[in-house]
């Protein structure tokens, strides 16, 4: 049995999606032989960190990111933070020996993204970015068709993405 112990850093909207995913993944037979341990939720908003930890089955909550990065029990961190923080935190997390799953966008501009990518390339830790749609089966199948040349050479692509999350007229525009 391989154990992967996870800390979620940032407990807002996207962080809660990560927590939901990890909790569901614990039940997935495809993970046969891997145990996911939900250890800590970190957020400066202590009440939120506690709430998310309790709701998704993490053992504890913390407001101290440095302490969590220094904890040798944590194998991997899942980052769902304000974008301006990634350029500092991703290299720090990799240097602390953590595997890193980071939300997108990677920083505020291309220069910050490059710093992050270089830190990942220099590390032997596993890294990934939260491109949400990459693993959706229908899109993966479409990608395979394109890669196999079944659709010929793609010269133009137009798509619509329908989502209801902003359908409430009383909700602020984001
Ligand atoms: N992949 C997707 O489809 C998707 C969707 C939404 C958001 N995102 C990305 O996710 C990230 C977070 O967005 P969100 O909508 O969840 O924002 P959010 O504001 O809801 O959550 C951010 C959280 O980070 C916390 N935080 C701030 N500083 C911190 C620190 N130093 N340590 C720990 N926590 C800290 C805040 O208190 C807040 O709870 C952004 O990078 C965003 O672009 C990705």
């Amino acid at each position: 049995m391989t154990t992967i112990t996870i800390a979620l850093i940032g407990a807002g909207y996207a962080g809660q999606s990560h927590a939901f995913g990890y909790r569901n993944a614990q039940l997935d037979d495809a993970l046969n032989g891997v145990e996911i341990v939900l250890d800590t939720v970190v957020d400066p908003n202590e009440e939120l960190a506690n709430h998310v930890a309790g709701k998704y089955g993490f053992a504890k909550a913390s407001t101290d990111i440095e302490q969590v990065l220094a904890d040798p029990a944590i194998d991997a961190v899942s980052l769902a933070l304000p974008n301006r923080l990634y350029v500092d935190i991703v290299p720090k997390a990799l240097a602390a020996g953590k595997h890193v799953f980071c939300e997108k966008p990677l920083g505020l501009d291309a220069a910050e993204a490059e710093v992050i990518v270089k830190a990942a390339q220099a590390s032997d830790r596993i890294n990934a970015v939260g491109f949400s749609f990459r693993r959706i089966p229908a899109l993966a199948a479409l990608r395979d068709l394109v890669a196999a040349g079944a659709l010929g050479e793609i010269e133009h692509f137009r798509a619509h993405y329908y989502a209801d999350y902003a359908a409430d007229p009383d909700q602020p525009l984001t």
Side-chain angles (χ1 to χ4, degrees):
M1 178 69 82
T2 302
T3 300
I4 302 175
T5 301
I6 293 176
L8 171 67
I9 303 183
Y13 169 76
Q16 289 177 46
S17 301
H18 294 200
F20 179 75
Y22 290 126
R23 188 190 60 183
N24 291 352
Q26 283 180 313
L27 308 173
D28 191 336
D29 288 343
L31 286 182
N32 209 0
V34 176
E35 185 193 4
I36 296 179
V37 176
L38 306 180
D39 191 272
T40 313
V41 174
V42 188
D43 201 290
N45 179 340
E46 190 171 10
E47 194 183 338
L48 179 67
N50 274 314
H51 170 71
V52 173
K55 183 170 178 185
Y56 293 100
F58 283 72
K60 53 187 187 287
S62 168
T63 56
D64 188 347
I65 192 170
E66 303 293 339
Q67 193 184 39
V68 169
L69 292 182
D71 182 350
I74 304 292
D75 299 310
V77 291
S78 213
L79 305 180
L81 293 166
N83 301 329
R84 66 188 154 77
L85 297 180
Y86 295 138
V87 71
D88 288 329
I89 292 179
V90 174
K92 245 191 225 174
L94 291 166
K98 310 305 180 198
H99 304 295
V100 174
F101 180 67
C102 183
E103 265 307 336
K104 62 179 172 62
L106 282 180
L108 298 180
D109 54 28
E112 287 195 4
E114 198 174 357
V115 170
I116 293 169
V117 168
K118 283 193 170 144
Q121 284 169 340
S123 162
D124 66 352
R125 302 291 87 183
I126 293 169
N127 65 83
V129 179
F131 291 111
S132 320
F133 302 106
R134 188 179 273 172
R135 306 286 177 195
I136 290 177
L139 292 186
L142 191 54
R143 185 247 173 227
D144 288 346
L145 283 177
V146 172
L151 303 182
E153 188 180 344
I154 306 292
E155 293 178 349
H156 181 74
F157 172 78
R158 180 190 292 187
H160 291 270
Y161 169 49
Y162 295 104
D164 66 357
Y165 68 88
D168 182 347
D170 294 329
Q171 201 172 279
L173 285 174
T174 64

